[in-house]
Amino acid sequence: MKELVTFQVGSYANFIGSHFWNFQDELLGLFEDPQADMVFKNQNLDMDVLYRTGETQQGIPTYTPRLISVDFQGSLGSMSSHGTLYNQSSSLSSSITTWNGNVSTQASEPYKKNLFLQRLYDEGKEKVANANGDSQSEIQDTDVVNSLEESVEFWTDYSKVHYHPQSLFELNGSWVNPQEFNNYGIGKNTLSEGLQGDEINERFRFFIEECDHVQGIQFIIDDSGGFSGVGASILENIADDYTNVPVVLYSVRSPSSFINPKTRKQNIYSNLHDAVSFSALSSLCNLIIPVGLPSLNESRFSQFLNLQDNKLYHSSGVYASVIHSVSLPFRMKRIGPNGESLYECGAMDLYEGIQMLAGQGRQNYVAVLDACIPAPSLVGRVFKQSLLENLLPLTPETAYDVEDLQAIESVIVQGVLGSEEHEATLSEVKEAMETAYEKATTRPRFSHLSVSRCPLPILLPFPSIFGTRVGRRGEILSNPVSESESMSRRGSIDVHSIPMAARLRSSTAILPFLENRLGNIRKFGLERGSIGAEVLRNWGFGREEVEEIGENLSKLVVTLDPHQGYSSDSD
């Protein structure tokens, strides 16, 4: 078993992470549930890769994510920063004695739990109530769904997972509100001042030093504002102490982060931040994967989805499901060189995945993330379209229909069931994918396929984002279930699981993304008399450091397209 340590840095990263851990918690429950579908009983996933075992001070066994979450102070809603298992109280007395006498203190009222969290709490007391013969008032599923759709404010509002006391870190700073925490420079300064960086390092050391054979770090970061600087500081410390631990980084953005700045000056600030943030983060990890479209509802993903871009609760569910799929190969149980599993194939560890996409010995590589939600059937009578044709990019600013003969792909397919008359075997999925590649206009230089029979479970706190053509098991229906507006979104009450497909690819399709950031740092940061030079100085960057940012971005472009001939000398 090779463990992964997960970081979630920033508000949107934690919205995604909350869904991600809900999926894992649900899979654990379904595995132990004697009434669950056998496809969940035979997951063949090693949950110890993501989870750690422990016990409370009372000796009660615990099983919690190997996670460090970093977010604003006050971002946990009704949840304590100590989690819910260890019952550590952070309450203060109403008066404190100092050299100047007594000082009264006031604590803010705790946030009220929504119906979902109330029901979780009630379920925890259910056994006691049953033993005493007490009756419990039941909260209906429909009421819980409506409550979540209307009231989610924090990522903890829909979290059903127990966290370790070392996992949840609330960030303090001199900024007045989160809106001021909007650039790389202010985030970088936040951890360089005080002891917060040291505390995060200690928490990471706690998790990683108890690992037997750590395979790497899964780093999810909201890089649209100051948290990119926070993440860079964390990664710098990790690089100093754990040089050989691979890092895969998902730089995530919500649709709301793409709102156009009101003034030209704000637009320049935003473009500079994007260039600086991406250059810094990409130089501190082995593989970086930009994730987040300006709109999911107006993209080609809306074919089978019906969500609201302005709700972080909605869009984060989509991105969490894809990150879950992409991470499956790192958690599959290896059968052995001569063994063959009926439930999964294509297992690999994080280092193998990085080296496959980036090449031997290569660092600081960028990949495109594609997905298909839900995935169409690959075999059976309902087979109509190639899965490859339905994989759509979740990485922004990518080029469509690129013919890249040097591309490398890692495709993950999970829960493909075929039709009701014929369930797909692993060999049939492989054959269908091979046929799809043969029919494709261009074929990548190398492709790796991972398949898991276990679909993505759609659990109660998951948002109602599926369209009316998505069936109970995620199958694509010929006719809509309902045409009424009130039933235009389907969720966990109607859809219990979905097949998924995701793909990571090393491709020239990412060049527009990289070239935009390279062009912006040159235009606004390096040109003589550029308006952004003073901004970058205020963020702590001298001329040489800005040139280094441009050189780093230039190298990423040249790696994918050597004929471009970009260099910092061509300004």
Side-chain angles (χ1 to χ4, degrees):
M1 188 266 290
K2 293 186 175 182
E3 303 92 342
L4 283 170
V5 179
T6 301
F7 271 91
Q8 294 162 194
V9 180
S11 300
Y12 195 56
N14 281 300
F15 265 81
I16 292 173
S18 187
H19 285 299
F20 177 86
W21 294 110
N22 279 349
F23 292 141
Q24 315 317 315
D25 185 83
E26 186 72 1
L27 286 171
L28 285 167
L30 290 170
F31 180 77
E32 297 173 353
D33 184 359
Q35 305 299 321
D37 191 312
M38 287 303 296
V39 73
F40 295 110
K41 302 290 288 181
N42 298 308
Q43 301 166 17
N44 219 44
L45 297 177
D46 186 352
M47 286 297 186
D48 289 344
V49 170
L50 294 174
Y51 280 77
R52 66 178 298 277
T53 57
E55 61 179 34
T56 66
Q57 292 177 345
Q58 293 74 34
I60 301 172
T62 62
Y63 199 55
T64 53
R66 195 176 293 106
L67 164 72
I68 300 171
S69 161
V70 181
D71 207 339
F72 292 121
Q73 185 175 32
S75 63
L76 296 176
S78 61
M79 184 181 291
S80 165
S81 60
H82 298 296
T84 55
L85 287 175
Y86 292 78
N87 297 320
Q88 295 183 22
S89 175
S90 58
S91 61
L92 296 173
S93 61
S94 59
S95 64
I96 300 175
T97 301
T98 70
W99 290 110
N100 294 321
N102 291 335
V103 177
S104 63
T105 61
Q106 292 182 339
S108 59
E109 289 293 323
Y111 287 97
K112 183 180 179 180
K113 289 181 170 64
N114 59 27
L115 290 183
F116 171 68
L117 297 177
Q118 288 178 38
R119 192 161 85 167
L120 280 183
Y121 179 74
D122 291 343
E123 288 173 351
K125 300 190 299 180
E126 186 175 355
K127 289 184 179 180
V128 177
N130 290 338
N132 296 333
D134 297 332
S135 60
Q136 293 285 320
S137 59
E138 293 187 3
I139 301 176
Q140 301 300 315
D141 286 354
T142 53
D143 294 330
V144 173
V145 169
N146 292 334
S147 172
L148 289 170
E149 290 294 330
E150 296 171 2
S151 64
V152 166
E153 182 179 358
F154 306 100
W155 60 268
T156 58
D157 287 342
Y158 54 91
S159 174
K160 65 193 294 283
V161 178
H162 291 298
Y163 297 99
H164 190 274
Q166 294 284 353
S167 285
L168 307 180
F169 185 86
E170 293 180 282
L171 192 68
N172 295 311
S174 58
W175 18 269
V176 177
N177 56 59
Q179 285 69 37
E180 295 182 2
F181 196 67
N182 59 2
N183 64 73
Y184 181 90
I186 194 171
K188 189 78 171 175
N189 292 335
T190 297
L191 281 200
S192 64
E193 300 170 355
L195 302 176
Q196 293 187 100
D198 293 337
E199 184 174 346
I200 294 174
N201 294 341
E202 287 301 315
R203 294 185 182 214
F204 174 65
R205 190 172 293 112
F206 169 82
F207 286 110
I208 197 168
E209 291 188 353
E210 67 179 9
C211 296
D212 294 326
H213 304 284
V214 64
Q215 65 170 299
I217 299 167
Q218 178 177 256
F219 207 104
I220 308 172
I221 182 170
D222 181 349
D223 78 328
S224 59
F227 279 109
S228 61
V230 172
S233 294
I234 294 171
L235 288 167
E236 286 174 356
N237 291 330
I238 290 174
D240 290 339
D241 297 333
Y242 302 93
T243 307
N244 297 320
V245 178
V247 178
V248 59
L249 186 145
Y250 301 91
S251 59
V252 299
R253 296 200 172 187
S254 67
S256 61
S257 68
F258 288 90
I259 297 175
N260 292 328
K262 295 179 180 179
T263 66
R264 180 175 181 270
K265 189 175 183 179
Q266 290 174 335
N267 186 59
I268 292 173
Y269 282 14
S270 176
N271 288 332
L272 283 173
H273 167 81
D274 290 355
V276 170
S277 173
F278 185 82
S279 175
L281 293 174
S282 64
S283 67
L284 293 167
C285 65
N286 301 82
L287 182 69
I288 186 169
I289 306 163
V291 180
L293 300 180
S295 172
L296 280 169
N297 200 39
E298 296 179 4
S299 70
R300 289 197 283 174
F301 277 92
S302 62
Q303 181 180 6
F304 301 120
L305 300 178
N306 187 359
L307 50 75
Q308 295 175 261
D309 286 325
N310 62 335
K311 289 186 176 181
L312 302 183
Y313 171 55
H314 278 196
S315 59
S316 60
V318 174
Y319 299 134
S321 64
V322 180
I323 292 176
H324 166 80
S325 293
V326 168
S327 67
L328 285 176
F330 314 139
R331 300 183 275 150
M332 292 176 174
K333 294 179 181 178
R334 296 180 185 261
I335 305 302
N338 299 319
E340 185 173 348
S341 172
L342 297 175
Y343 307 105
E344 55 82 19
C345 67
M348 59 179 172
D349 65 30
L350 185 63
Y351 178 80
E352 292 170 332
I354 290 172
Q355 293 305 303
M356 179 187 65
L357 288 166
Q360 289 293 332
R362 185 180 293 164
Q363 297 276 335
N364 321 128
Y365 207 72
V366 56
V368 176
L369 178 63
D370 307 303
C372 185
I373 311 170
S377 298
L378 287 176
V379 298
R381 295 181 182 179
V382 296
F383 173 66
K384 295 180 180 179
Q385 293 177 298
S386 161
L387 179 140
L388 293 175
E389 295 172 354
N390 285 274
L391 284 166
L392 303 173
L394 287 172
T395 297
E397 302 175 47
T398 52
Y400 284 89
D401 302 322
V402 172
E403 295 185 4
D404 184 1
L405 299 178
Q406 299 301 309
I408 298 173
E409 298 182 354
S410 174
V411 180
I412 300 92
V413 179
Q414 68 168 121
V416 173
L417 302 173
S419 66
E420 292 183 0
E421 298 85 4
H422 180 84
E423 287 209 354
T425 63
L426 294 185
S427 60
E428 286 174 318
V429 173
K430 293 178 184 178
E431 291 173 6
M433 288 297 293
E434 182 62 30
T435 301
Y437 274 119
E438 291 175 356
K439 292 181 178 179
T441 305
T442 58
R443 181 170 185 152
R445 178 164 59 91
F446 177 79
S447 61
H448 177 275
L449 176 64
S450 301
V451 182
S452 172
R453 293 292 302 279
C454 182
L456 182 77
I458 302 302
L459 57 159
L460 181 58
F462 194 77
S464 299
I465 60 172
F466 298 107
T468 55
R469 289 185 57 201
V470 179
R472 183 176 181 274
R473 302 172 79 191
E475 69 274 21
I476 307 303
L477 305 175
S478 300
N479 299 307
V481 175
S482 172
E483 295 293 343
S484 67
E485 181 64 26
S486 61
M487 298 293 291
S488 61
R489 292 189 179 91
R490 291 161 62 78
S492 58
I493 295 176
D494 309 296
V495 181
H496 294 183
S497 65
I498 60 168
M500 286 277 302
R503 173 176 63 185
L504 285 174
R505 55 183 167 129
S506 165
S507 168
T508 55
I510 195 64
L511 279 174
F513 178 94
L514 299 175
E515 289 168 342
N516 286 341
R517 280 147 184 77
L518 176 58
N520 285 330
I521 196 65
R522 286 179 166 171
K523 181 178 179 181
F524 301 124
L526 287 172
E527 283 185 359
R528 186 169 299 174
S530 58
I531 189 173
E534 183 179 354
V535 174
L536 292 169
R537 281 195 297 271
N538 292 335
W539 291 356
F541 293 100
R543 175 72 184 185
E544 292 183 0
E545 291 170 305
V546 177
E547 290 176 349
E548 186 177 340
I549 291 170
E551 188 64 31
N552 182 46
L553 292 170
S554 175
K555 288 178 180 178
L556 290 172
V557 171
V558 172
T559 299
L560 285 167
D561 190 356
H563 302 293
Q564 292 280 14
Y566 285 112
S567 74
S568 59
D569 298 330
S570 61
D571 294 334

